[in-house]
């Protein structure tokens, strides 16, 4: 079965003070559109997280690395890797989680 979510039907959610739209959810993945204007503190989750920066600038940190990203850049964070996001310039991004995050439903 195909799961379609029209933009006007996206569920609005909040996590770590970041607002996001919950978009398509399949058996193995979840798509969100994040509006990031707050620091997301160090955390980890059992989901792989991939992102595509639509606008703005962020810095993704792990305990041993730092990466500055802007519009058009992408990233993938393996499951259970502790990470944080700092805001350089308020950003929007599309994120994909595999498997879907139960805490975002």
């Amino acid at each position: 079965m195909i799961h379609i979510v029209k933009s006007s039907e996206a569920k609005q959610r909040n996590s770590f003070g970041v607002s996001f739209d919950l978009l398509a959810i399949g058996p193995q993945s979840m798509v969100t559109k994040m509006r990031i204007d707050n620091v997301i503190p160090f955390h980890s989750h059992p989901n792989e997280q991939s992102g595509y920066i639509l606008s703005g600038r962020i810095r993704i940190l792990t305990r041993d690395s730092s990466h500055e990203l802007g519009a058009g850049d992408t990233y993938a964070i393996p499951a259970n890797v502790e990470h944080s996001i700092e805001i350089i310039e308020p950003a929007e991004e599309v994120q994909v989680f595999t498997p879907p995050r139960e805490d975002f439903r």
Side-chain angles (χ1 to χ4, degrees):
M1 175 184 198
I2 297 175
H3 184 211
I4 305 293
V5 176
K6 298 286 190 171
S7 61
S8 62
E9 299 169 349
K11 295 177 183 175
Q12 300 215 343
R13 298 283 192 261
N14 194 291
S15 180
F16 290 107
V18 174
S19 63
F20 65 94
D21 296 333
L22 181 56
L23 304 174
I25 302 172
Q28 301 298 317
S29 65
M30 168 184 281
V31 180
T32 65
K33 181 180 178 185
M34 300 279 183
R35 290 171 293 284
I36 304 171
D37 55 9
N38 295 316
V39 170
I40 299 174
F42 274 98
H43 68 286
S44 64
H45 39 75
N47 321 78
E48 182 176 77
Q49 174 181 339
S50 298
Y52 175 77
I53 311 301
L54 298 169
S55 64
R57 296 196 67 71
I58 64 171
R59 182 174 296 111
I60 297 179
L61 302 154
T62 65
R63 293 296 181 185
D64 59 358
S65 69
S66 174
H67 304 278
E68 190 171 314
L69 303 172
D73 293 339
T74 61
Y75 64 87
I77 302 169
N80 301 309
V81 170
E82 195 173 23
H83 59 284
S84 173
I85 297 179
E86 294 179 348
I87 307 314
I88 298 168
E89 178 183 309
E92 281 193 326
E93 71 172 277
V94 172
Q95 292 183 349
V96 176
F97 295 95
T98 56
R101 286 187 64 159
E102 291 303 320
D103 59 330
F104 279 12
R105 289 183 187 259

